[in-house]
Amino acid sequence: MKKRPTVQGFLRSYEPAVWIQFTGTVLSSLTMFMIRPFLVLYLHDQMGGAILLPILITTLQPLCGIAAGMYGGNLSDRYGRKPVMIVSLLLQTVSMAGYAIAEGVVFFALASMLNGIGSALFQPAANAQISDIVKPEQRAEVYALLHMALNFGAALGPALGLMLFNWNIHVVFWLAALFLALYTLLLWSKLGTVPPPASTGIDSAATLLSSFRSPEFRVILLLTLCYLPLGFLYAQVDSTLPFHLQTHFGNYQAVLTLLLTFNGITVILLQLWIARATARFTARRMLSIAYLLFAGVTLGYGFAPSLIVLLLTELMFSTGEMLHGPHIQKAISELAPVEARGYSFALFGLGPQVSRALGPLMGGLLLDLWGGAVLFLVLMSAFLVVGRIQSRLLQPAAAAEPPCVDKLPTGTTPS
């Protein structure tokens, strides 16, 4: 008779550094989801009712992140994951405190720029650290675990943020700064300091064009372009979807809140199970299914006649992202050269940054010119076309051995 896994066995099945990232991801995601839905409204009030300036200030975050992410990935390859992760969290902590005390457009803009730089520096180093310490066959599962941690913030953050904003606006930013400071302290005190494997980094003069000389980087860049439809879909949820729902549902704010909460809870409950159930399948197959699901999501968002259909649509969305996130990160970790994992994840990180910067603007133009139905039909077409391209890109990798073999000294834990 097969023994049921114990809690202790489950905890010991991953490296301690994984649980450090899990705990920190819960803290940082609470921070992000407490603030993100209300930041534009806060800036709107602080600037005397201006509309354009708050939007421009929040756009500074992803724009600064595009440049910073590339350098951050390179720095983590050269000097280790831990120093870059700590510096990035300190920048984000200062930015949250900056929002609380800032007065005037310039100071709000500086706080947004710091936040964008800090966020972009962190993720490539964190993803590369997981690739350093986790066996290839277990990586999708670990990335799924971290995605589950992220959704604790998605499920709880908006309601907590709304409550605190109604009580005292500045408390939200100070609480966010406290959470990020705690994560910084956790990394500094508990995470070991070991250089990444073969830590040489990419020449700082390297550019996107020069990356095309390497087959691995070329595939990663093309996969980054394939991510853009998904990034644009995420961007619409934060920007144009509320306006589209307003034309179909009288209580559209409650509907949107319900969809976001339903998504977060679904991922928390099912993400790890789905990762384990699909571990034996190739990333190519799982990502193809995910993009078909996302194409269905765009139809649901565009034409759902009732709340029940919208909830079924959100279930498709949740399933798609539970398949996509862990498997695309696993694919990048296998394509990336061992000595340039931070740089590789930084390349792929351009997709989310560009989507956050351009997605609301492009979606807003389509919504204004032709309406939400056309907007989501365009996105559906993009998923179908790009999904096929992505499948072709991963076909050689699916049929061959991974391009890099991990060779870490026994008993070491890269930072």
Side-chain angles (χ1 to χ4, degrees):
M1 183 175 178
K2 189 176 181 180
K3 291 184 178 180
R4 295 180 63 182
T6 63
V7 174
Q8 286 185 339
F10 175 68
L11 293 175
R12 291 173 181 171
S13 62
Y14 305 113
E15 294 279 347
V18 171
W19 291 114
I20 292 173
Q21 275 210 41
F22 179 89
T23 304
T25 300
V26 172
L27 291 173
S28 60
S29 66
L30 273 172
T31 295
M32 177 176 65
F33 285 101
M34 276 195 309
I35 290 173
R36 192 174 71 180
F38 311 107
L39 181 58
V40 172
L41 297 177
Y42 171 73
L43 295 175
H44 172 78
D45 292 339
Q46 294 295 306
M47 295 178 183
I51 296 177
L52 182 60
L53 276 177
I55 295 175
L56 290 175
I57 287 174
T58 54
T59 304
L60 287 173
Q61 293 182 13
L63 287 178
C64 291
I66 290 172
M70 298 301 299
Y71 286 103
N74 185 31
L75 289 173
S76 77
D77 288 329
R78 287 178 177 271
Y79 305 113
R81 319 303 183 197
K82 180 178 178 178
V84 174
M85 292 165 73
I86 288 177
V87 169
S88 71
L89 288 173
L90 287 173
L91 289 175
Q92 293 177 71
T93 302
V94 172
S95 74
M96 290 298 106
Y99 279 128
I101 63 176
E103 294 182 2
V105 175
V106 173
F107 292 102
F108 283 120
L110 286 174
S112 288
M113 292 169 69
L114 278 178
N115 188 265
I117 293 170
S119 301
L121 288 175
F122 184 85
Q123 208 56 54
N127 285 334
Q129 186 205 36
I130 295 300
S131 296
D132 292 342
I133 65 176
V134 177
K135 297 176 182 178
E137 63 271 17
Q138 203 179 23
R139 285 176 191 161
E141 187 175 313
V142 171
Y143 285 125
L145 183 71
L146 296 176
H147 186 230
M148 185 175 72
L150 179 69
N151 277 272
F152 277 101
L156 303 176
L160 180 60
L162 179 60
M163 180 184 68
L164 292 174
F165 264 95
N166 289 332
W167 175 48
N168 188 319
I169 289 177
H170 295 94
V171 169
V172 182
F173 295 108
W174 288 119
L175 187 60
L178 175 62
F179 285 166
L180 290 166
L182 288 174
Y183 192 7
T184 306
L185 182 61
L186 182 66
L187 285 180
W188 178 76
S189 61
K190 298 296 184 182
L191 194 63
T193 304
V194 179
S199 180
T200 57
I202 298 297
D203 191 328
S204 59
T207 64
L208 291 178
L209 290 178
S210 66
S211 295
F212 271 98
R213 298 171 188 167
S214 163
E216 295 90 349
F217 290 151
R218 185 161 57 245
V219 174
I220 291 171
L221 278 170
L222 292 173
L223 288 174
T224 302
L225 293 176
C226 290
Y227 175 88
L228 291 179
L230 179 55
F232 285 138
L233 179 59
Y234 278 116
Q236 304 322 305
V237 174
D238 292 333
S239 57
T240 61
L241 181 60
F243 295 105
H244 179 64
L245 292 177
Q246 189 177 13
T247 63
H248 294 79
F249 299 91
N251 56 341
Y252 72 98
Q253 291 177 323
V255 169
L256 182 61
T257 302
L258 176 62
L259 293 179
L260 294 175
T261 303
F262 177 77
N263 171 264
I265 292 174
T266 301
V267 173
I268 291 170
L269 294 176
L270 298 179
Q271 175 66 91
L272 199 56
W273 176 80
I274 285 180
R276 288 176 170 174
T278 61
R280 66 183 184 276
F281 299 111
T282 62
R284 174 175 174 255
R285 177 182 295 184
M286 293 299 98
L287 293 174
S288 296
I289 294 173
Y291 268 52
L292 288 175
L293 289 171
F294 290 137
V297 169
T298 58
L299 281 180
Y301 281 167
F303 300 96
S306 66
L307 180 59
I308 296 297
V309 175
L310 267 182
L311 287 173
L312 290 174
T313 298
E314 198 65 23
L315 181 60
M316 280 200 299
F317 192 10
S318 301
T319 305
E321 69 174 345
M322 284 187 284
L323 292 175
H324 180 272
H327 284 282
I328 191 63
Q329 288 173 311
K330 179 185 176 183
I332 298 300
S333 72
E334 292 178 348
L335 287 165
V338 176
E339 71 278 5
R341 281 176 174 154
Y343 181 78
S344 300
F345 277 106
L347 281 180
F348 185 72
L350 289 174
Q353 298 291 347
V354 170
S355 301
R356 285 182 60 204
L358 300 181
L361 176 61
M362 296 176 65
L365 288 174
L366 286 172
L367 181 72
D368 185 54
L369 291 173
W370 294 295
V374 171
L375 164 63
F376 288 108
L377 282 174
V378 169
L379 273 175
M380 182 196 72
S381 302
F383 276 119
L384 294 176
V385 172
V386 171
R388 179 60 179 164
I389 295 172
Q390 181 176 249
S391 178
R392 293 290 297 272
L393 285 172
L394 290 172
Q395 190 168 5
E401 293 295 321
C404 63
V405 179
D406 298 341
K407 295 182 180 179
L408 298 179
T410 302
T412 61
T413 304
S415 64

